Amino acid sequence: MDELKNERNRLRETFPKSLRDDRGVSETFGGPQQYYAIGSEDEVIKRFKLILRSGNKYSVPYSLLPILELSGSSELSIMAYGLLITIEGRNLEPVEEYLSNEILVWLKESSSGKDDGKSQVFISNIMIEGKAVSKQVE
């Protein structure tokens, strides 16, 4: 638990207060080595963003996240009402922990998809599928 608290403090220091919006949540999506951000202890976070290498962004409410499945440390699945999000990468345990605690603010896919090993967590792919994101009208 101390490791989680130390990581939270380190990541919050990445975002000076001047870069945060009026709710205190950072809208700056970090540099090439940063794949996620978490909120501060006093923030109430209702949604988190998924940022794909294509530039598309998805905003997902925490209230729709009933099941998280971490397979090894390289694949994290989020299953919710008509939605399947699959996150692939390296060392995804902290991401799963932050999602479970509802403090993850955003998660970003690598722009190249290639792991240079410089960051603690690496996100190679984010796949989003299901009826909830289908653009077809039934």
Side-chain angles (χ1 to χ4, degrees):
M1 191 53 116
D2 286 337
E3 184 178 313
L4 182 66
K5 196 170 211 168
N6 290 340
E7 178 73 3
R8 174 181 266 183
N9 290 336
R10 187 184 67 75
L11 285 171
R12 288 314 302 165
E13 291 169 2
T14 303
F15 304 108
K17 201 161 187 79
S18 62
L19 293 178
R20 294 171 16 188
D21 68 16
D22 60 349
R23 292 170 300 149
V25 176
S26 171
E27 292 299 325
T28 303
F29 298 117
Q33 301 301 320
Q34 188 168 347
Y35 299 103
Y36 66 96
I38 56 176
S40 65
E41 288 187 37
D42 59 341
E43 287 178 288
V44 175
I45 301 169
K46 295 181 180 182
R47 304 176 78 88
F48 70 93
K49 289 188 180 181
L50 298 169
I51 303 121
L52 306 185
R53 76 175 51 89
S54 65
N56 290 357
K57 296 176 188 167
Y58 292 84
S59 180
V60 182
Y62 274 108
S63 62
L64 293 181
L65 301 178
I67 299 171
L68 299 173
E69 179 186 6
L70 182 62
S71 301
S73 66
S74 61
E75 184 174 290
L76 176 62
S77 298
I78 303 168
M79 297 159 274
Y81 308 96
L83 181 66
L84 173 62
I85 301 167
T86 305
I87 301 159
E88 297 175 336
R90 176 180 47 77
N91 192 27
L92 299 178
E93 291 95 345
V95 173
E96 186 274 331
E97 184 72 23
Y98 300 138
L99 278 167
S100 292
N101 290 317
E102 297 186 0
I103 60 174
L104 186 79
V105 177
W106 57 262
L107 190 63
K108 182 175 74 172
E109 186 176 51
S110 166
S111 58
S112 70
K114 297 186 186 231
D115 187 359
D116 61 11
K118 293 182 181 179
S119 61
Q120 178 187 357
V121 171
F122 175 73
I123 308 292
S124 60
N125 291 303
I126 300 174
M127 294 162 284
I128 304 168
E129 55 192 327
K131 285 184 174 183
V133 292
S134 173
K135 293 188 180 184
Q136 295 179 347
V137 179
E138 295 182 17

